[in-house]
Amino acid sequence: MIAGVFTVALYVLVAAGCIWLAGRFVNTVSRKAAIVLVLVPMAFTGRALFTGAVYAPIDLLYDAPPFQGMRHTLGVPPTQNPMLSDVYCLTIPWIAAVRQAYGEGRLPLWNPSMLAGDILAAGAQPTPYHPLFLTSFLLPLANSITYLATLTLFLTGLMAFLFLRELELSEEAAMAGAAGWAFCTCMVFWLEWPVTSTMLWAPLAFLAVRRCVRNPGRGGLWLLTVSFVMTILSGHPESSLHIVSGCGVVLLAELVTQPERRVVRSVLRCVAAGLLALLITAFYLLPIAEAIPQTFEYSFRRAVYVSSPNRSASPALLQSRILQTFVPFLYGSPQRELAKNPPQPHLPDSGYPGSILFAPAIYAVFRWRSRDRGPLILLAALGFIFGLEVPPTGDFLARLPLFDVAINTRMSFIGAFAFIALAAAGVDQWMKDRDDRTLALIAAITTALLAALTATQAPLMTNLGLSNGFISRSATALIAPPLISAAIFFFMKQRRTAAWLFLLLLIAQRTWEEGSLYPTLPPRAFYPPVAGFDALPKGGPPYRIAGLGYTLIPNGATLYGLEDVRGYTAMTFAPLQETFPLWSYHQDVWFNRIDNLELPFLSFLNVRYAVEDPSAPVPRSWNVVADTPQMRLLENPLVLPRAFVPRHVRINVPRSSEVGEMALQNDFSDLGWISHPGGGQSPGTLENGPGSVALKRVEPGDFSLNVHMERPGWVIVSESAWWGWKAVSDGKRIPIRFANHAFVGFHLNEGDHLVRLRYRPRSFEVGGVVSLLTVLAIAGTGWVLRRRADGQI
């Protein structure tokens, strides 16, 4: 309870600070509106926030050992929504890794907890530099997840509110739009991914573009710069690309009515804001840009996405996506009941905002008298057309740089926001049209059409295995709110009171439809202590662990300060992925599963311990360290140290042949592979060393090695060789080579050497200098301009 109180206090304090900043630099927010905006997220996260519970799908943790046997003891209910698996095995471990880095006083550049070491900040999605994310460090990790979810919903609503107030809509209408945007399906589904925390900045960016065009002065430029910086730091480059494209549409729509002299000035302001944002965030962006070409995902998308002959939706898929936009439960609801073998996938990127908003949006299209109507209609149309991949738009985007490797269905969020803005404008216009009951008629017709559409799809839903109870309850939630709103629009004379009722009805509808998308679970269920882990050594030489099968799903080991050789990430080091057949099975959409602990490459990977289900047989070459009802802990007596000198090396073997050769090797302490040490020699096997290595880890991604070489030779370190490793021996830089296809190797001459091996990408250092100089230049320019304005210069 105390943790809950502190979490609420921090949320209110940070939210109040955001509202103050908004009033200082964007638009004033009244006290009444501020209270509503702070309270709106409580419809989803309130119970978890006030009780100190965890608003996250950690119930999925209990579907596999060693947690499976703890479900009943800890009071964890059955799994609620399996579609949220990335949150518990990706987002939360990333957050834990970043917190651990800062807690140890180091930069969050390297993550030792997964995949033989992996990039952290350069992976983008851990969002290690986002200022609002950093505020969560004041809370315990479990409470910080709930806090961040609540703050994200609040910011989503606040950004929409500011945009709608910029359009001179009433506060009541703007609050309805804010709630609609915060609770839109695409926003609430991706809530605890970096997707929503990136997309939420779109309204502020659109507002800033509007100001760059319409208002003289530099205010729009600085506001657009800030919105772009926050978008970039939120950690989803793909959504950042889509927001920039939406800003381009807004800019073009705004420029249509402007004189020629203002067109050039407006374009230059927007371009300058984009360039400033890129320079300010160079320390973050340059490592990401350096890492992307090294990934399996990039190669896959270049090979599959770019070469695909058809990126537009097929007629059947397009029809399914459109139907799910109007009947969101067509294939079930992931948190309640899912259809069996649906003809098309469930659509998490749906722009469905709540059926109650359909009628006001239609009303605004025909009755809203504002020059902003056209740009919003255009933005809504293009957002949905590109998001649904209506032919031939998917193929068109596939020919554009960056869009060719992006998942462009997520562009629906742009259409959804513009549609919701139109709905808020419709409510505002209705409040002004005192005697007009047209909106009531539109709401009644909308209700009838939704009822008819649901009835026509009911046989399909039944055939897909959805229960009659689920269909009827979901249909009621879809149809009843617009019907009730029709009555409000028809009978209510007090328009402001009616607008408040409409807001409450919207919140009620969306809470019923999506409020249980994420479960609320007791804090004791958040990665609890595991019996057996206490037998693992603390300190000493570094080592890795692994789980057999689905035991200890990656990347859960991060929460226990362990290094799991397996992993699941959005950016997999391509050379490492190519070694997976030597030691694991790469599941297409999940982690690389280990089914055989006796594979020799696991010993090379420094896998000293393994976890398995206690009912599984003990591998022949492994020893039992601990046996508990939840898990069995095994030790590998053949494990190789993190850094060693193999007795022989194979050099100049073509990269395409290395993995095939390594598959035949049983002892990697005897033979290692060094890629292209330079020379154009034919492939061969050489004696290596001998030598010995005493390794001390200074910190993750930073090693000190005392190496004794009796003869010149190669040292191999089983850390993934992402670009950025630097080795210095006796004060001199030595080159890094690929060893065993994906790992770090370097050559030393005869004698004793003190080697410092450190992961510190040049891209981060250069980007840091660029960012610092940019910030200093902006600060200096601002100081000069202020002094000049005060007449002191």
Side-chain angles (χ1 to χ4, degrees):
M1 183 63 70
I2 295 176
V5 171
F6 191 58
T7 305
V8 172
L10 181 63
Y11 164 64
V12 172
L13 181 64
V14 173
C18 292
I19 290 171
W20 179 84
L21 287 172
R24 181 74 174 79
F25 299 105
V26 189
N27 276 321
T28 302
V29 181
S30 73
R31 182 177 300 178
K32 177 178 64 176
I35 292 172
V36 172
L37 290 169
V38 170
L39 292 177
V40 161
M42 307 296 183
F44 279 49
T45 65
R47 182 162 66 95
L49 192 68
F50 283 99
T51 62
V54 183
Y55 188 76
I58 55 172
D59 51 344
L60 293 166
L61 191 68
Y62 294 85
D63 288 341
F67 305 100
Q68 199 170 42
M70 307 181 199
R71 184 184 287 271
H72 178 72
T73 304
L74 296 175
V76 179
T79 296
Q80 183 167 311
N81 185 354
M83 292 185 71
L84 303 178
S85 60
D86 279 10
V87 175
Y88 90 98
C89 69
L90 197 59
T91 304
I92 293 176
W94 271 335
I95 293 173
V98 173
R99 289 170 65 107
Q100 182 181 15
Y102 282 125
E104 295 172 354
R106 57 185 172 88
L107 292 168
L109 300 178
W110 190 250
N111 183 3
S113 300
M114 56 184 286
L115 289 172
D118 196 41
I119 54 175
L120 190 55
Q125 298 191 43
T127 64
Y129 308 121
H130 197 290
L132 294 172
F133 168 67
L134 297 179
T135 64
S136 70
F137 291 4
L138 296 171
L139 298 169
L141 179 57
N143 299 101
S144 74
I145 306 302
T146 304
Y147 162 79
L148 286 171
T150 309
L151 187 62
T152 299
L153 287 173
F154 161 76
L155 287 170
T156 305
L158 177 62
M159 295 304 111
F161 179 84
L162 295 173
F163 177 86
L164 296 170
R165 289 292 286 163
E166 186 79 1
L167 302 186
E168 299 181 353
L169 303 186
S170 66
E171 282 199 336
E172 291 81 1
M175 284 187 285
W181 175 232
F183 295 157
C184 182
T185 294
C186 57
M187 303 301 285
V188 296
F189 181 87
W190 299 111
L191 177 62
E192 292 185 357
W193 275 268
V195 181
T196 293
S197 58
T198 302
M199 295 191 303
L200 71 85
W201 298 103
L204 186 64
F206 298 160
L207 183 158
V209 170
R210 186 177 183 272
R211 285 194 178 182
C212 282
V213 176
R214 298 190 183 189
N215 298 350
R218 294 178 295 271
L221 183 151
W222 296 122
L223 187 60
L224 187 57
T225 301
V226 169
S227 66
F228 280 160
V229 167
M230 297 302 286
T231 298
I232 292 168
L233 294 180
S234 294
H236 202 252
E238 198 171 64
S239 296
S240 299
L241 172 66
H242 294 153
I243 289 175
V244 171
S245 67
C247 288
V249 173
V250 174
L251 177 61
L252 290 175
E254 289 286 339
L255 292 177
V256 169
T257 59
Q258 299 298 320
E260 185 176 348
R261 67 179 185 280
R262 183 170 288 184
V263 169
V264 176
R265 191 182 309 158
S266 302
V267 171
L268 288 177
R269 283 189 189 131
C270 293
V271 172
L275 291 175
L276 282 172
L278 292 175
L279 293 172
I280 291 170
T281 58
F283 73 102
Y284 180 53
L285 285 177
L286 289 184
I288 296 171
E290 181 183 61
I292 287 174
Q294 303 176 65
T295 64
F296 162 75
E297 288 77 11
Y298 176 78
S299 301
F300 175 81
R301 291 194 184 187
R302 295 295 304 176
V304 177
Y305 281 32
V306 176
S307 61
S308 176
N310 188 2
R311 290 279 295 275
S312 297
S314 65
L317 181 57
L318 180 60
Q319 179 184 6
S320 170
R321 288 173 176 173
I322 293 173
L323 284 173
Q324 288 186 73
T325 301
F326 293 99
V327 185
F329 55 92
L330 181 65
Y331 299 140
S333 172
Q335 70 271 30
R336 293 192 177 94
E337 191 175 322
L338 277 174
K340 299 178 179 66
N341 301 316
Q344 302 294 341
H346 180 78
L347 188 62
D349 294 319
S350 171
Y352 173 72
S355 60
I356 191 174
L357 294 175
F358 291 167
I362 296 170
Y363 185 79
V365 170
F366 295 102
R367 300 298 298 269
W368 185 34
R369 295 176 287 274
S370 170
R371 60 186 287 194
D372 293 299
R373 179 179 61 175
L376 282 179
I377 293 174
L378 177 64
L379 195 64
L382 291 178
F384 281 123
I385 288 171
F386 284 110
L388 295 172
E389 294 182 320
V390 176
T393 59
D395 301 309
F396 169 74
L397 284 182
R399 295 187 180 95
L400 301 179
L402 301 181
F403 290 94
D404 57 353
V405 293
I407 301 175
N408 295 314
T409 54
R410 291 181 184 149
M411 292 185 74
S412 290
F413 82 90
I414 295 175
F417 171 71
F419 183 87
I420 292 165
L422 286 170
V427 172
D428 184 74
Q429 188 62 43
W430 173 77
M431 293 174 67
K432 297 173 181 176
D433 297 339
R434 291 291 179 176
D435 298 322
D436 191 357
R437 294 180 176 178
T438 305
L439 181 54
L441 177 61
I442 295 175
I445 294 173
T446 301
T447 302
L449 291 174
L450 288 173
L453 182 60
T454 303
T456 61
Q457 299 303 313
L460 171 64
M461 290 186 276
T462 302
N463 291 336
L464 292 175
L466 297 175
S467 66
N468 291 332
F470 169 80
I471 296 172
S472 61
R473 288 190 297 271
S474 300
T476 300
L478 180 73
I479 296 167
L483 181 62
I484 297 172
S485 72
I488 292 174
F489 296 141
F490 188 84
F491 292 108
M492 291 291 294
K493 301 298 183 184
Q494 296 295 326
R495 297 299 170 99
R496 290 190 178 277
T497 303
W500 279 103
L501 290 176
F502 180 84
L503 171 63
L504 293 174
L505 189 58
L506 168 62
I507 294 173
Q509 179 187 34
R510 297 306 289 143
T511 302
W512 195 96
E513 290 178 323
E514 304 289 7
S516 60
L517 190 65
Y518 284 73
T520 295
L521 296 161
R524 63 179 178 275
F526 188 80
Y527 299 87
V530 176
F533 281 177
D534 52 354
L536 292 168
K538 308 292 190 296
Y543 61 87
R544 295 192 177 100
I545 67 165
L548 184 65
Y550 290 95
T551 305
L552 189 63
I553 299 294
N555 302 298
T558 308
L559 281 295
Y560 298 92
L562 301 174
E563 300 177 26
D564 192 339
V565 71
R566 306 164 300 162
Y568 169 51
T569 179
M571 294 173 61
T572 311
F573 188 43
L576 179 67
Q577 194 273 340
E578 291 165 359
T579 72
F580 284 174
L582 301 178
W583 56 284
S584 63
Y585 172 70
H586 184 211
Q587 304 173 96
D588 288 340
V589 292
W590 211 9
F591 71 98
N592 54 318
R593 192 182 70 227
I594 293 176
D595 295 330
N596 181 2
L597 290 174
E598 298 190 55
L599 295 172
F601 205 73
L602 290 172
S603 295
F604 159 69
L605 289 171
N606 192 221
V607 178
R608 182 178 172 186
Y609 295 97
V611 180
E612 70 172 4
D613 190 296
S615 63
V618 177
R620 287 174 299 176
S621 59
W622 290 68
N623 301 323
V624 177
V625 175
D627 218 335
T628 73
Q630 287 77 37
M631 54 162 268
R632 180 183 293 128
L633 183 65
L634 307 169
E635 185 172 11
N636 178 15
L638 303 177
V639 64
L640 294 178
R642 187 69 57 92
F644 65 97
V645 179
R647 292 185 289 274
H648 302 86
V649 292
R650 289 276 288 160
I651 64 170
N652 290 317
V653 175
R655 294 280 290 167
S656 59
S657 302
E658 282 182 338
V659 173
E661 288 193 8
M662 288 191 292
L664 304 176
Q665 180 65 18
N666 292 321
D667 183 3
F668 287 88
S669 66
D670 179 63
L671 184 61
W673 279 255
I674 304 297
S675 298
H676 308 296
Q681 307 171 19
S682 59
T685 302
L686 305 175
E687 287 192 11
N688 191 55
S692 60
V693 181
L695 178 145
K696 176 184 178 182
R697 180 158 64 187
V698 179
E699 60 183 37
D702 191 350
F703 299 94
S704 176
L705 301 90
N706 287 297
V707 184
H708 172 73
M709 300 296 294
E710 295 183 16
R711 288 190 298 273
W714 293 90
V715 177
I716 295 178
V717 184
S718 56
E719 293 280 330
S720 298
W722 289 88
W723 299 340
W725 283 102
K726 298 177 181 178
V728 176
S729 174
D730 306 315
K732 296 181 180 180
R733 182 86 172 266
I734 54 177
I736 299 290
R737 306 295 185 189
F738 278 116
N740 288 358
H741 194 73
F743 304 90
V744 172
F746 53 86
H747 187 271
L748 293 174
N749 294 322
E750 179 181 339
D752 294 318
H753 305 270
L754 176 62
V755 179
R756 183 74 178 270
L757 180 65
R758 191 181 190 194
Y759 179 77
R760 181 62 65 90
R762 177 71 173 165
S763 56
F764 173 76
E765 295 174 345
V766 172
V769 172
V770 171
S771 297
L772 178 61
L773 292 177
T774 303
V775 171
L776 291 176
I778 292 172
T781 302
W783 180 82
V784 170
L785 292 174
R786 182 176 292 275
R787 297 270 293 181
R788 180 176 296 173
D790 294 340
Q792 299 178 17
I793 295 181

